[in-house]
Amino acid sequence: MRMPFARRGQGEDQGRGRDQDRRRDRRRAPARRRAVVRSLLALGCGALPALAFPAPGLWWWAYLALVPWMLLIRTAPGARRAGLDGWLGGVGFVLAVHHWLLPSLHVFLLPLAALLGLLWLPWGWLVRSLLGGTPSPLRGAAALLAVPSGWLLIELVRSWEGLGGPWGLLGASQWEVPAALRLASVGGVWLVSLLVVAANTAAVLLVAVPGPRAVGVAGLAACALVAGTAAWGVGAPREAGTVRVALVQPGVFGGPDGASRRFDRAEELTRSLAGQRLDLVVWGESGVGADPAGQPGIAARLTALARAVDAPLLVNVDARGADRPGIFKSAVLVGPTGLTGDRYDKMRLVPFGEYIPARTVLGWVTSVGKAAPEDRRRGTAPVVMALPTTAEAEGPLIGPLICFESAFPDMSRRLVRDGAGLLVVQSATSTFQESWAPVQHASLAALRAAETGRPVVHATLTGVSAAYGPDGRRIGPVLGTDASGVAVRELPLSATTTGYVRWGDWPLYGALAVVGAVCAAEGAGALRRPGAAPRGPRARTVRG
């Protein structure tokens, strides 16, 4: 007799439970929407710094590009959300700066960006910890040092070749700014990155934090003082002689016989240089498709060219070695009397482009993109080559770098310390011809020149080819991606030893020390905790 009443009561309880669940879901829906919007904002804010690099080339934007991202992070309700904002912003940064890799990596670029984005997760914690709420002036001053240092450590980690190499270092966006080039001569591109992030941090303190705005003003003044001191206090390298170099750019040749047609065009262009009184002729990466050491016909053609222009040729071979297994990318010097024996094998290879990390696991990438079907072999040591001595003067030693290697500051520094007076970069970006990659790659040579105090030539198959003096200033116009021709540049030489060549990557060690000291001070309670964040609207309770 009581069962119907029990069922009715139970049904009423279940109905009330469902109503409560629906009300709870309705209350949670706005929070979920806000979280999604915040995540999309983090992705977009992280992508903003890409506009400071070529081809957009808005170099001034680099000093403000991180401000929206940092403002978002500092308002995170907790450390977990701050870390998520840092990670998502890092994903956006990687995708924006490396978007041109899509033809090679295809869908694999997305998980790669997600993995590299994790490097910014602790940076998000650091930004919120030092800039969240209402920080004290002491905490604001600590942020001016620690936030740029944390960013620099991210650049250090992702500069490892296996993680993609040092492409898109924030300081590299300043390659046309004279003050930044002088700063690079003291501490490399690392010191420029520190200054750029410090300016962003000072801007955040100035516009968003009411307490330590004076610290923000002082930070901006300090950044301006450092830049001004570098511009007027650090002298350009002293010139000592000149060298005449010709860059040969054959242009784009597609189809199954494209490589041989490109060789023929480069040969034709080189012959047009006869009588130019050259010290060196440089071809781009992979300009020769067979090892001349095992191909007498190719060796004879190159020797005849060197004899015709009365100057040595530095060509680049992408082929199986004549006397060793595997495929190598090699810079080979050919003189008027034949192969000189000087050869440099590329040491740092492009992940997925020239080899696939863990090929047994990731080899499937070749089926969805243009990843390397076979791994290239690595060289074992840098090589400095001597140009043939003429009756008039002894030519400078040259230090060859191949494509991707021009992104690594330590490689050019090592060549200069070994005696190189001219750095030569042989590159090919034809796969990414319509992207930002060619002009951005060529701009890296300006930084390598400024860092080392040595002229740098960047010769490509399909553009952009350019030359830079020992102060990082570009000499003459570039050969663009639509050009098939030659460029002869008379470059000043220098024997000046820059601060970066002498002291190396000291800003990285300083950044590590700063982050360690701030973390230790935080753990010891020496830095006052940030004040409470501004209160939001009062929560609506059942009674209220």
Side-chain angles (χ1 to χ4, degrees), residues 19 39 64 104 149 166 173 192 280 299 310 420 427 460 533:
D19 290 342
S39 297
L64 297 171
S104 292
S149 296
S173 65
V192 184
L280 180 67
D310 193 27
S427 175
T460 72

Side-chain angles (χ1 to χ4, degrees), residues 432 463 471 539:
F432 316 107
D471 58 353

